[in-house]
Amino acid sequence: MTEELKAAVRERCRQMEIPLVGVADVERWKKPPFLPWMPEEFFPQSIFPEARSVIVIGLPVHLPVLETAPSIYYHELYKTVNTLLDQYTYRLASFLNEIGYPSVFVPRDGYGSIEVLQKNPIAFFSHRHAALLAGLGTFGVNNTILTPEYGPRVRFGSVLTAAPLPPDPMIDRDLCIRCMRCVRMCPAGALDREDYPQGLTDKNACSANSAALNKRHISPCGICIKVCPVGEDRRHYRREEPSLYEPGAEMRRYRQAWNHVRRYGGA
C-alpha cells in the first residue's frame, strides 16, 4: 500500500510537471549526516507532530535568465518559481488530505522580508536540509543544495505528511567539485572556502547585499548559483564552460544580452 501511495504522489507531481521529487522519513532528522546540525525545534515532527514523511519538490531556475542577474528578469523568474512552489505543495498536501492522510505544505521561504531576515537570518523550516535528506542533492561550498540535474539552480518546497511513504536513498557522493568560483565571485564576500557546514555563509553580508538589490527591485543576487559548473542544465543550454562569467572572458554575444536586460526594469 505504501509503495502504491508513493506512486500516486509521484503521478500527481508528474501531472503538475514537477521535475524533482524526493521523500524523507522524519526519523532522518534525528540522525544528522554531519555536525553541527539543527536544533530539534526545526524538525518536521516538531512543526507538524503528525508528520511521518516529508515530500520535497524542486523547480529549476532557468540558467539563461539567471545569467542576467541581478536584473528584473531574474527577479520575476524568482517570484514565479516561488509562487508555483507554494501552489504545488499546497495542492499536493490537499490531495493527501483528501485520501485520508493529514498533511500540510510549508511555504517556500518562511520569512516576511529581507529586512526581517537581516534581524533574524533563519526560517522555521529548512527546505535545503529536507532536500538533502530526501535524496535530491548535496550541499556545496556556496551553502546551497547542488542537484545532478540543475546544480544549485533549483528552488525547493516541502509537504509534511502523516503518510508512511518509503524514503528515497540519499545521494552518497559529493556533487560539489570545490572549484571555488562561488567564493571568488560573490559580490558580498559572504562565502568561505571551507565545506558546509564549517564554511557557513556570512548571512549578514549576504542579506545586506540582497537588501540593497531589493531597493532597486532586482533582488536576489544569484551569482553563487549562476557560476556553479555542476548540473546537466549547463549542457542543455550549451554553457559547459563556466569561465564565461569570469571578468575579461571573450563572450561578447552573451554579455551584450545580459547588459541589455540589466539596463531596464530596475532602479
Side-chain angles (χ1 to χ4, degrees):
M1 176 60 185
T2 55
E3 289 289 352
E4 293 177 1
L5 178 58
K6 185 175 180 180
V9 168
R10 287 192 171 276
E11 174 58 22
R12 185 56 64 108
C13 291
R14 188 196 66 78
Q15 292 173 8
M16 290 189 285
E17 299 179 333
I18 299 169
L20 297 182
V21 184
V23 175
D25 187 303
V26 296
E27 295 302 311
R28 286 185 176 175
W29 271 259
K30 299 177 182 179
K31 303 171 184 177
F34 50 75
L35 294 173
W37 190 244
M38 69 188 74
E40 188 175 346
E41 64 185 291
F42 293 93
F43 291 10
Q45 57 272 49
S46 296
I47 298 167
F48 182 59
E50 294 84 354
R52 296 183 63 183
S53 306
V54 178
I55 304 167
V56 185
I57 67 169
L59 298 180
V61 173
H62 298 157
L63 178 57
V65 179
L66 173 62
E67 286 176 332
T68 68
S71 69
I72 192 67
Y73 201 2
Y74 176 47
H75 174 82
E76 293 298 331
L77 172 63
Y78 188 84
K79 290 198 303 181
T80 298
V81 172
N82 281 347
T83 298
L84 289 171
L85 283 170
D86 285 351
Q87 291 179 349
Y88 290 164
T89 50
Y90 175 84
R91 291 171 61 185
L92 193 56
S94 296
F95 164 70
L96 287 163
N97 282 320
E98 289 169 3
I99 61 175
Y101 297 97
S103 305
V104 295
F105 91 112
V106 181
R108 82 282 170 178
D109 284 330
Y111 57 88
S113 67
I114 292 295
E115 290 72 26
V116 171
L117 200 60
Q118 285 182 285
K119 295 177 181 178
N120 186 19
I122 194 166
F124 70 85
F125 183 76
S126 173
H127 297 292
R128 294 175 305 144
H129 290 81
L132 169 76
L133 296 176
L136 293 180
T138 63
F139 273 97
V141 170
N142 62 1
N143 198 23
T144 68
I145 289 293
L146 276 58
T147 66
E149 299 86 353
Y150 308 105
R153 293 166 291 277
V154 186
R155 296 282 290 158
F156 297 105
S158 304
V159 172
L160 313 183
T161 179
L165 300 172
D168 290 304
M170 294 175 61
I171 294 179
D172 59 4
R173 67 188 190 283
D174 198 343
L175 298 179
C176 181
I177 63 172
R178 311 303 192 278
C179 68
M180 300 302 162
R181 280 192 170 87
C182 59
V183 176
R184 293 197 311 270
M185 299 188 71
C186 174
L191 297 174
D192 192 282
R193 298 181 68 87
E194 295 296 324
D195 293 342
Y196 183 87
Q198 286 76 23
L200 282 170
T201 306
D202 183 340
K203 294 181 180 179
N204 291 328
C206 185
S207 297
N209 184 52
S210 293
L213 293 174
N214 193 48
K215 291 179 180 178
R216 298 170 55 200
H217 311 289
I218 55 172
S219 63
C221 169
I223 302 300
C224 67
I225 65 172
K226 171 171 70 176
V227 302
C228 180
V230 177
E232 287 299 313
D233 59 332
R234 303 204 72 91
R235 183 177 303 173
H236 172 74
Y237 289 113
R238 300 179 181 177
R239 305 292 208 277
E240 294 96 328
E241 181 46 68
S243 64
L244 81 161
Y245 310 120
E246 300 280 355
E250 292 297 327
M251 294 290 179
R252 184 179 178 185
R253 63 186 179 125
Y254 292 124
R255 294 191 179 278
Q256 285 179 331
W258 305 337
N259 290 335
H260 168 72
V261 172
R262 289 170 189 157
R263 290 190 196 102
Y264 302 95

